[in-house]
Amino acid sequence: MTLSEFLRLIRRRWYVLLVALLCAALFATIQYRTSGVYSTRTIVYLIHHNSNPQGAWPSVGSTDETLVSFAGTIVNEVNRGRPGVRYASEDAPLYGVGLRQGVRVTQSNSGGQWWSSFPRAEIEVQIVGPGRAWVAAQQQQILSRIVELCRSAQGAAWADPDQRITPLVAPLTDSIDHITPARLDLVVAAGAILGAALICGGWAAVLLDRRARRGAVVPGQTPGTVKSGGSEGKA
């Protein structure tokens, strides 16, 4: 089929292309209205008051191996023993890897995809979701779970301030941010949806036209012949 034949076919089956464009417009509108997500990246320090008598926040976290191991135990319990998902960059946000709703609880890791290094007694809680209320509820539930696990894991030591390992949320990390796509991303997405609609609409128009032509052939008659007066002749 040549380009001119294809254009004539589209003019003849214009309504098929119109339906495809309307479906694409509806899909794009739904995606635009639900494109934003809410995200938080909360950091929980595990500090030993015996080594921090003034109750000061550690400048870079604790390098105490006991605290670091304890943080790993808490993370493992929160995740119920399931291995955490690793990315090439530990700083990759969940919405940046394509998730619109999910939770990731990990131990602070300065390594990467191929090696691990846990120098700080920090627990990182990443949450992403379509609504602020859902993210806030998940955040509160996980933070309460961390405190509960710290208390139960220490037993009698929890009652002694000199021995207690205390989980503390790092200031300002419990905020929930609204993440929306940039204008350029919206333009590129709209162009991709429009292109897909034109391709699918053109393909559907061709199929419909071919089926209509097959249906127009008289049963028992081959295309290009007509029946006249009981005898067959070429059209």
Side-chain angles (χ1 to χ4, degrees):
M1 179 179 293
T2 64
L3 178 60
S4 60
E5 291 174 340
F6 177 74
L7 293 177
R8 286 196 299 270
L9 185 150
I10 291 298
R11 284 199 299 268
R12 189 164 59 250
R13 306 292 182 183
W14 59 270
Y15 49 87
V16 178
L17 192 60
L18 178 61
V19 171
L21 291 175
L22 290 176
C23 290
L26 178 61
F27 176 77
T29 301
I30 294 175
Q31 291 299 311
Y32 174 75
R33 291 181 176 179
T34 60
S35 59
V37 295
Y38 291 87
S39 176
T40 182
R41 191 175 199 143
T42 306
I43 302 297
V44 180
Y45 286 132
L46 297 182
I47 64 174
H48 201 293
H49 282 288
N50 191 32
S51 59
N52 292 274
Q54 305 300 324
W57 290 94
S59 58
V60 292
S62 173
T63 56
D64 187 333
E65 292 185 2
T66 302
L67 288 178
V68 172
S69 299
F70 187 76
T73 301
I74 298 301
V75 169
N76 188 65
E77 289 293 327
V78 172
N79 292 327
R80 302 183 185 278
R82 296 189 298 269
V85 179
R86 298 289 305 280
Y87 299 109
S89 173
E90 288 299 318
D91 295 329
L94 291 183
Y95 59 84
V97 296
L99 288 181
R100 290 185 53 84
Q101 183 169 336
V103 177
R104 182 171 181 245
V105 180
T106 57
Q107 189 175 3
S108 181
N109 180 13
S110 62
Q113 185 177 13
W114 309 113
W115 60 282
S116 301
S117 177
F118 307 109
R120 298 183 300 276
E122 295 177 6
I123 298 175
E124 183 179 275
V125 180
Q126 280 199 67
I127 307 172
V128 63
R132 181 182 293 273
W134 185 86
V135 173
Q138 291 294 316
Q139 182 188 56
Q140 184 61 40
Q141 179 181 347
I142 293 174
L143 293 180
S144 298
R145 177 65 174 160
I146 291 174
V147 173
E148 177 187 344
L149 288 172
C150 287
R151 181 187 293 113
S152 61
Q154 295 180 72
W158 178 264
D160 187 350
D162 293 331
Q163 300 183 32
R164 180 191 307 160
I165 298 175
T166 306
L168 296 175
V169 177
L172 305 180
T173 64
D174 58 347
S175 61
I176 299 175
D177 302 317
H178 187 207
I179 310 299
T180 56
R183 289 184 178 273
L184 179 60
D185 295 334
L186 293 175
V187 171
V188 172
I193 293 174
L194 176 61
L198 292 175
I199 293 174
C200 293
W203 175 71
V206 171
L207 289 182
L208 180 63
D209 191 74
R210 288 179 178 177
R211 287 191 175 185
R213 287 177 178 274
R214 291 196 193 101
V217 177
V218 179
Q221 174 185 338
T222 59
T225 63
V226 295
K227 290 185 179 181
S228 178
S231 62
E232 291 188 359
K234 291 289 183 180

